[in-house]
Amino acid sequence: MSELLELQRSMMQWLQSESGDIHHKVLGTEKVSAETRLAIYANAYRYRLIDALSDNYPSVHTLLGDEDFYNDGVEYIAAYPSQHFSIRYFGSHLEKFLAKQHQDTAVLAEMARFEWALRDAFDASDTVSVGFEALQTIKPAAWVALRFTLHPSVACLNLEWNVPQLWAAIENETGQIPFEQAEYPIPWLIWRNALKTYYRSLAVDEAWAINAVMEGKSFSEICTGVCEWVDEAYAPERVAGFISTWLAADLITALDV
Amino acid sequence: MKLPSLGFGLGLRKEHYQAILDTSPAVDWFEILSENYLVPGGKPLYFLDAINERYPMVMHGVSLSIGNTDPLDFDYLQQLKDLSERINARWISDHLCWSGLAGVNAHDLLPLPYTPEAVKHVATRIKHVQDFLERRLLIENVSSYVTYTQSEMTEWAFLSAVAEEADCLLLLDVNNIYVSAVNHEFDPLDYLKGVPKARVQQHHLAGHSDYGDYIIDTHDHAVVDSVWALYAEAVKHLGPVSAMIERDDNIPNLAVLMQEYEQMKQVSASALSESVQDQGGAHV
Ligand SMILES: [Fe+2]
């Protein structure tokens, strides 16, 4: 094995588990021991990654508090070392990690899911949305097979806890509010319009409809689907109402007839 | 051999996006952190394009990992190349370091051992990258906190050997030279005198954290007097080189940073006039 590779193995083992033979491969000075010098790298490794987690999950950080966030961060680094060239994606497994780590505080994993979705919406790709005019060009007969493409930032999450309310209270510093679990999961829509990220809760049929759009279902298939919640005669009007709301929020980027 | 100088720059940071658009500060160019813009869309790219309409830009990356023993990441390189075309980047730089192994990224700028083996390894990879990007790279000296028993030469001999063998350009970070000079107890002037002058395309200036017995390169303070003094020496020795200030933490508002920017221009101007006098070229 090359000397370079051998050295890199020792250093990585040091960073990842503070063990191994790296001490034999570095020198200290009169003033600063090899141990102190190596500790600078071990600390930098931990703190840089935990800072990146905190940047992407400010509310998870607040809910856990500094000490627990740090301790969980250390365990997370060991469980999911970064595999991407960009530190932006280092936190992608935090929801999974927290679900296991804090099984009796499920709100934490849900907060992670919510914050990661906001993060994804923030830098999702820019696609120009279509306006109401585009809809007016669709001939009545074509509506049956009409399909829609949503903006890449759109995500739909089902949340059992009052995570968006907790997030807003932390973000706006309006004081602590208690965790609350709903009887049923509530669907939430996350999206970005121009440079601003938004979220709102969805009625159950609108949530079903938007998921159906994502799956590529047509207008008539969506109308059939929402009949589970509304009267058949009223379904097309209901779905057309959703579509006009989505158009107004610039959520639709293409119509496919 | 070198690319045309750009003058004096600043690091582009999101904290200043709006102020830059509102006030069009008198900055010659901006250096971007490449990875911040290797994203699909949204705010980062919106402001990048808007600011790029008014200022020349150069790209500075942290993910090239030129000293790694894993294969080069050509997906990353393609993204760099696309970004460089998008903003007409005047040049692209990254660090003389390694940062991970076997697919794990430590996201740190880890020093290499200064050995002939490492020179060959790194130079070969720089050549591959330069071929792919179809331009010469600038390689930057990093701050370091350990000395490896393997090392057989000084840091500047290593940097120079890599640059000569790869035929690349250099980004000399004056603060990193200062930090490493304290940490490794060498004379920073030996460093300045030991690098191939004709390859030095850019300087970085930055603040650091001084712990007494050692210094850590944190980019969270203003540039300190001793680094300004070393920068003056660099200007005297290397002549006018494009220079910029890096600030990554504890970021002041743009007006405060502009004062530091003016200081950089003044230090450079007076060092240049002093070196003209030293050479007997000034007429009183
Ligand atoms: Fe630098």
Side-chain angles (χ1 to χ4, degrees), chain A residues 2 8 25 27 82 85 123, chain B residues 41 63 67 105 107 117 147 149:
Chain A
S2 85
Q8 293 186 343
K25 295 175 180 171
L27 300 169
S82 176
F85 72 72
D123 61 13
Chain B
S63 304
N105 191 346
H107 296 288
E117 182 203 1
T147 309
T149 55

Side-chain angles (χ1 to χ4, degrees), chain A residues 13-122:
Chain A
Q13 188 183 349
W14 168 249
L15 295 181
Q16 293 189 269
S17 60
E18 293 186 39
S19 64
D21 63 353
I22 189 68
H23 292 83
H24 303 303
K25 295 175 180 171
V26 306
L27 300 169
T29 62
E30 293 233 322
K31 283 188 259 171
V32 188
S33 66
E35 283 69 27
T36 303
R37 299 178 110 192
L38 282 167
I40 294 171
Y41 285 102
N43 289 334
Y45 176 66
R46 262 194 323 268
Y47 281 107
R48 181 172 295 109
L49 291 172
I50 291 173
D51 275 353
L53 281 184
S54 181
D55 282 348
N56 285 329
Y57 296 103
S59 297
V60 171
H61 187 162
T62 302
L63 293 180
L64 277 168
D66 288 342
E67 202 180 319
D68 285 351
F69 189 79
Y70 176 83
N71 291 331
D72 280 348
V74 170
E75 283 190 47
Y76 178 80
I77 294 168
Y80 298 98
S82 176
Q83 310 265 350
H84 198 279
F85 72 72
S86 174
I87 203 165
R88 146 83 178 84
Y89 300 98
F90 168 60
S92 62
H93 305 282
L94 194 69
E95 179 197 350
K96 194 169 31 173
F97 172 85
L98 291 173
K100 225 170 133 189
Q101 185 84 345
H102 295 282
Q103 287 175 11
D104 45 2
T105 319
V107 65
L108 290 167
E110 272 204 356
M111 181 61 86
R113 175 141 55 107
F114 184 68
E115 293 200 290
W116 195 249
L118 291 176
R119 190 69 189 75
D120 279 343
F122 171 81

Side-chain angles (χ1 to χ4, degrees), chain B:
Chain B
M1 181 177 224
K2 281 202 261 185
L3 302 163
S5 171
L6 290 176
F8 298 92
L10 279 182
L12 181 64
R13 303 294 180 262
K14 64 178 189 295
E15 288 77 0
H16 302 138
Y17 286 160
Q18 198 58 55
I20 292 167
L21 291 179
D22 292 345
T23 65
S24 286
V27 171
D28 297 333
W29 53 281
F30 282 100
E31 180 189 85
I32 68 161
L33 294 169
S34 312
E35 288 73 13
N36 290 353
Y37 305 94
L38 299 182
V39 294
K43 234 180 214 177
L45 290 170
Y46 169 84
F47 282 105
L48 181 72
D49 289 341
I51 295 168
N52 188 222
E53 278 182 23
R54 302 188 199 171
Y55 296 93
M57 287 181 174
V58 308
M59 284 165 53
H60 183 54
V62 294
S63 304
L64 187 59
S65 308
I66 202 69
N68 280 21
T69 44
D70 288 357
L72 284 167
D73 182 347
F74 283 95
D75 171 49
Y76 169 69
L77 290 174
Q78 185 61 53
Q79 292 188 47
L80 271 190
K81 197 173 182 179
D82 294 344
L83 182 63
S84 74
E85 282 161 15
R86 178 180 185 128
I87 64 169
N88 182 23
R90 304 311 159 93
W91 58 73
I92 301 175
S93 64
D94 204 306
H95 304 82
L96 183 57
C97 70
W98 66 284
S99 60
L101 181 66
V104 174
N105 191 346
H107 296 288
D108 200 353
L109 308 172
L110 302 165
L112 285 157
Y114 309 139
T115 63
E117 182 203 1
V119 169
K120 207 168 154 237
H121 174 72
V122 173
T124 306
R125 284 166 63 99
I126 293 174
K127 284 191 242 175
H128 286 315
V129 171
Q130 294 185 144
D131 286 346
F132 184 84
L133 296 177
E134 299 173 279
R135 55 162 89 212
R136 284 201 293 166
L137 268 182
L138 276 65
I139 292 294
E140 178 185 2
N141 61 301
V142 296
S143 286
S144 67
Y145 316 105
V146 287
T147 309
Y148 298 122
T149 55
Q150 279 183 19
S151 290
E152 296 170 26
M153 58 186 104
T154 61
E155 185 190 328
W156 54 95
F158 179 70
L159 179 73
S160 306
V162 168
E164 296 294 350
E165 189 162 334
D167 189 20
C168 66
L169 297 167
L170 293 173
L171 194 178
L172 271 195
D173 184 316
V174 177
N175 178 61
N176 287 348
I177 293 178
Y178 182 82
V179 168
S180 292
V182 170
N183 291 344
H184 303 294
E185 302 173 326
F186 62 75
D187 183 344
L189 294 180
D190 289 342
Y191 201 124
L192 290 177
K193 289 175 194 153
V195 296
K197 185 174 169 177
R199 295 185 184 277
V200 181
Q201 180 71 48
Q202 189 192 336
H203 287 308
H204 272 170
L205 291 158
H208 57 239
S209 298
D210 193 336
Y211 292 89
D213 291 337
Y214 57 89
I215 299 181
I216 299 186
D217 177 39
T218 44
H219 299 185
D220 58 351
H221 290 81
V223 178
V224 301
D225 288 345
S226 35
V227 170
W228 285 126
L230 186 59
Y231 174 52
E233 291 303 320
V235 173
K236 281 183 208 166
H237 187 71
L238 301 166
V241 169
S242 303
M244 57 78 67
I245 299 168
E246 298 183 285
R247 187 71 177 255
D248 294 298
D249 229 328
N250 190 22
I251 295 179
N253 68 38
L254 187 61
V256 171
L257 208 55
M258 284 306 291
Q259 290 167 14
E260 216 182 1
Y261 178 85
E262 291 304 324
Q263 193 175 355
M264 165 169 63
K265 288 172 77 168
Q266 279 161 19
V267 169
S268 172
S270 58
L272 277 177
S273 72
E274 266 180 58
S275 69
V276 169
Q277 282 165 21
D278 286 351
Q279 287 156 20
H283 302 281
V284 182

Side-chain angles (χ1 to χ4, degrees), chain A residues 193-216:
Chain A
N193 188 351
L195 300 180
K196 218 168 162 290
T197 304
Y198 298 87
Y199 60 90
R200 68 174 170 91
S201 61
L202 295 170
V204 63
D205 55 345
E206 187 181 4
W208 186 90
I210 208 150
N211 280 302
V213 166
M214 288 183 198
E215 288 162 17

